[in-house]
């Protein structure tokens, strides 16, 4: 291998920071990873330390570049992908964050969102951003920091502070504070970016009381995002691609045609359906979101967002101490023939699509003296199938088309029990690609396009390879009976929430 022939993807996720090195043929050459801590200072609050996010990212990049026998010179470009919506405000001159990163799962702005909804603003916001009022998105989190950190609003208004989602913060750090920019997919998740006119929206900024001056510049997904500070890696490396994790996964899964669906099972689960170049709103409480923008041309997607997927397994591991390693959940689930009528609704941080109920919390139903850990683990994995079926039903009702096949990826997609149950519950084949790191692959594709390694998405599409396909095997009656139980469990939980609040 000679010349500038490898691509470095940075995948800064909710639970880990990764650096992944790809060849020009989009094969993984090396992965370096570090687990990232989440902090839960109060009920419903979820935070991370921006310095951890940065230091871990730098560390994994350095580790991977040090082991690179062909030298740093061979890195053609860097692509960045990231946990979306997570909000950071920092001082432009010192780089110091003014508050912890408020993570996408954080629910502290639920009351603000409800107020705005009650005031009738939701149709306006939906028409401009494709989103709904939910604490999930960044705008409320920015407003919270400006209102609750002493002096923050004044400093922001004087132009001393910068806002960024994680991509933007990492870019700023990687370029030694020279570039304050983001890409259209990340910008679109703030509730402040008009995805039709493709600009920050003055009316939305006014609604949340956020000064324009703190916002980054918004670029295409393939763009010159700047050069890394030479002090970091021993040479300047161009950053040429950027996308939020779910959009990056869509690219990595080669979902470039209208109607194609990918579903990623990491901390949460996010299913995106490509709907092509025309913006349209969901009638079933899905989000409309940019899939990608290349040379100024936008492609949109419908998105179903579920907040808790792998996080439920993580909770069984860390919170309840059920097993030392998430992978053990597969054998435990298979050790019992069924969940023994246990339903686990993992709404730890509220319910996302299609319910959008930030006030709901999780529940287990159907517990009996016979219930074992294995039944609970199985119910947690089965919940992924039920939650995805909720989304798929909404997508089909919206799209007016049958979803033929679903491509999945993310940490949970290595769990064969979960994959088979998903195929059974959706009654459709589920495909797992050879490269399950679809998110990082997407970022690498974008950077590769920038560096001229690939001429276009066609070339990327040709690299997609299926590793496994799970065919539905469950009888129709059983599927419907199980799903009926899930709908009843969610219904009961909604009723409980209404009574208790
Ligand atoms: P993120 O990018 O959101 O940090 P990942 O795609 O790395 O997430 O997936 C990690 C999540 O997947 C964790 O929540 C973990 O509990 C879960 N997970 C990983 N491997 C397995 C497995 N074999 N079975 C079940 N859950 C798993």
């Amino acid at each position: 291998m000679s010349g500038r022939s490898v691509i470095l993807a940075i995948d800064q996720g909710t639970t880990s920071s990764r650096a992944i090195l790809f060849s020009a043929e989009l094969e993984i050459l090396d992965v370096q990873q570090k687990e990232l801590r989440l902090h839960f200072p109060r009920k419903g609050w979820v935070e991370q330390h921006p310095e951890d996010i940065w230091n871990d990212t730098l560390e994994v990049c350095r580790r991977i570049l040090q082991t690179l026998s062909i030298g740093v010179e061979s890195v053609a470009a860097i692509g960045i992908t990231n946990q979306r919506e997570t909000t950071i405000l920092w001082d432009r001159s010192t780089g110091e964050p003014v508050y912890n990163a408020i993570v996408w799962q954080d629910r502290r702005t639920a009351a603000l969102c409800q107020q705005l909804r009650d005031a009738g603003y939701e149709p306006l916001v939906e028409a401009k951003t494709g989103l709904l009022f939910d604490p999930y998105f960044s705008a409320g989190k920015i407003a919270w920091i400006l209102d609750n950190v002493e002096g923050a609003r004044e400093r922001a208004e004087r132009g001393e502070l910068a806002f960024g989602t994680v991509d933007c913060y990492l870019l700023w750090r990687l370029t030694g504070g020279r570039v304050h920019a983001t890409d259209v997919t990340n910008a679109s998740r703030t509730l402040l970016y008009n995805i039709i006119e493709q600009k920050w929206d003055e009316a939305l900024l006014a609604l949340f009381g956020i000064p324009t001056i703190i916002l980054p510049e918004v670029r295409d997904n393939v763009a010159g995002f700047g050069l890394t500070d030479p002090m970091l890696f021993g040479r300047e490396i161009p950053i040429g691609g950027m996308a939020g994790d779910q959009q990056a996964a869509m690219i990595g899964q080669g979902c470039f045609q209208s109607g194609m669906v990918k579903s990623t099972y990491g901390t949460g689960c996010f299913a995106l359906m490509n709907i092509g170049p025309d913006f349209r709103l969901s009638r079933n409480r899905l989000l409309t979101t940019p899939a990608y923008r290349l040379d100024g041309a936008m492609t949109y997607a419908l998105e179903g967002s579920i907040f808790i997927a792998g996080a439920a397994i993580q909770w069984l591991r860390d919170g309840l101490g059920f097993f030392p390693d998430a992978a053990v959940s597969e054998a435990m689930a298979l050790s019992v023939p069924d969940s023994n009528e246990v339903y686990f609704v993992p709404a730890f941080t509220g319910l996302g699509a299609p319910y959008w109920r930030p006030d709901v919390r999780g529940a287990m139903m159907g517990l009996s003296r016979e219930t074992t850990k294995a039944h609970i683990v199985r119910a947690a994995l089965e919940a992924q199938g039920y939650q995805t079926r909720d989304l798929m039903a909404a997508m089909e009702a919206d799209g007016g088309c049958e979803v033929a096949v679903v491509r999945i990826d993310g940490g949970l997609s290595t769990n064969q029990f979960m994959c088979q149950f998903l195929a059974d519950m959706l009654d459709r084949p589920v495909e797992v690609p050879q490269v399950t790191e679809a998110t990082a692959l997407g970022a690498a594709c974008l950077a590769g396009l920038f560096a001229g390694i690939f001429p276009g998405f066609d070339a990327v599409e040709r690299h997609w390879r299926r590793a496994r396909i799970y065919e539905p095997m469950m009888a129709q009656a059983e599927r419907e009976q199980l799903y009926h139980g899930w709908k009843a469990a969610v219904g009961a939980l909604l009723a409980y929430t209404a009574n208790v609040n």
Side-chain angles (χ1 to χ4, degrees), residues 128-130 184 188 194-198 250 255 257-260 272-280 287-293 297-303:
K128 287 173 180 240
T129 66
V184 70
S188 76
N194 186 318
I195 64 171
I196 303 161
E197 294 173 10
Q198 300 179 33
M250 184 157 209
C255 295
Q257 312 297 328
S258 253
M260 290 182 83
L272 269 74
M273 179 198 252
N274 188 322
I275 58 166
D278 299 321
F279 171 87
R280 70 182 153 86
L287 308 174
T288 305
T289 203
Y292 40 81
R293 192 176 76 190
M298 189 86 107
T299 297
Y300 293 95
L302 286 180
E303 172 174 324

Side-chain angles (χ1 to χ4, degrees), residues 125-371:
V125 162
E126 202 184 2
K128 287 173 180 240
T129 66
L131 311 177
L132 304 162
F133 280 123
D134 190 88
Y136 176 28
F137 306 109
S138 312
K141 301 178 200 290
I142 303 173
W144 189 93
I145 295 175
L146 294 178
D147 289 337
N148 289 277
V149 175
E150 214 188 315
R153 182 167 293 282
E154 294 71 32
R155 287 165 70 195
E157 276 160 5
R158 285 199 298 267
E160 292 168 21
L161 301 186
F163 152 74
T165 40
V166 169
D167 54 304
C168 175
Y169 177 67
L170 289 178
L171 179 68
W172 195 83
R173 300 290 307 242
L174 283 165
T175 58
R178 281 174 297 164
V179 183
H180 185 216
T182 186
D183 77 275
V184 70
T185 64
N186 275 297
S188 76
R189 314 294 296 190
T190 57
L191 269 179
L192 301 172
Y193 190 74
N194 186 318
I195 64 171
I196 303 161
E197 294 173 10
Q198 300 179 33
K199 61 177 179 51
W200 296 115
D201 192 289
E202 290 301 331
L204 298 177
L205 285 158
L207 194 62
F208 284 95
I210 294 171
T212 314
I213 196 165
I214 68 170
L215 299 172
E217 185 193 319
V218 183
R219 300 185 184 170
D220 281 356
N221 294 101
V222 176
F225 283 97
L227 298 169
T228 58
D229 181 342
M231 303 292 285
L232 298 175
F233 307 124
R235 82 156 245 252
E236 291 179 319
I237 305 174
I239 300 156
M242 196 141 99
D245 53 9
Q246 303 313 321
Q247 282 86 349
M250 184 157 209
I251 294 162
Q253 288 276 32
C255 295
F256 304 128
Q257 312 297 328
S258 253
M260 290 182 83
V261 174
K262 77 88 205 176
S263 193
T264 301
Y265 298 85
T267 302
C269 159
F270 301 86
L272 269 74
M273 179 198 252
N274 188 322
I275 58 166
D278 299 321
F279 171 87
R280 70 182 153 86
L281 285 177
S282 164
R283 292 177 309 276
N284 295 282
R285 300 184 70 72
L286 299 171
L287 308 174
T288 305
T289 203
Y292 40 81
R293 192 176 76 190
L294 298 179
D295 296 324
M298 189 86 107
T299 297
Y300 293 95
L302 286 180
E303 172 174 324
S305 329
I306 298 167
F307 300 135
I308 303 287
I313 307 303
Q314 201 178 28
W315 177 73
L316 293 176
R317 185 192 71 176
D318 302 341
L320 301 191
F322 271 24
F323 34 72
D325 180 352
V328 177
S329 63
E330 181 178 328
M332 278 181 88
L334 286 168
S335 73
V336 285
D338 53 44
S339 72
N340 203 15
E341 295 178 19
V342 175
Y343 283 95
F344 181 177
V345 187
F348 296 121
T349 56
L351 282 171
Y355 308 99
W356 296 106
R357 288 287 299 269
D359 52 335
V360 171
R361 292 293 171 271
M364 272 183 227
M365 291 185 204
L367 300 180
S368 66
R369 288 291 293 268
E370 290 80 50
T371 304

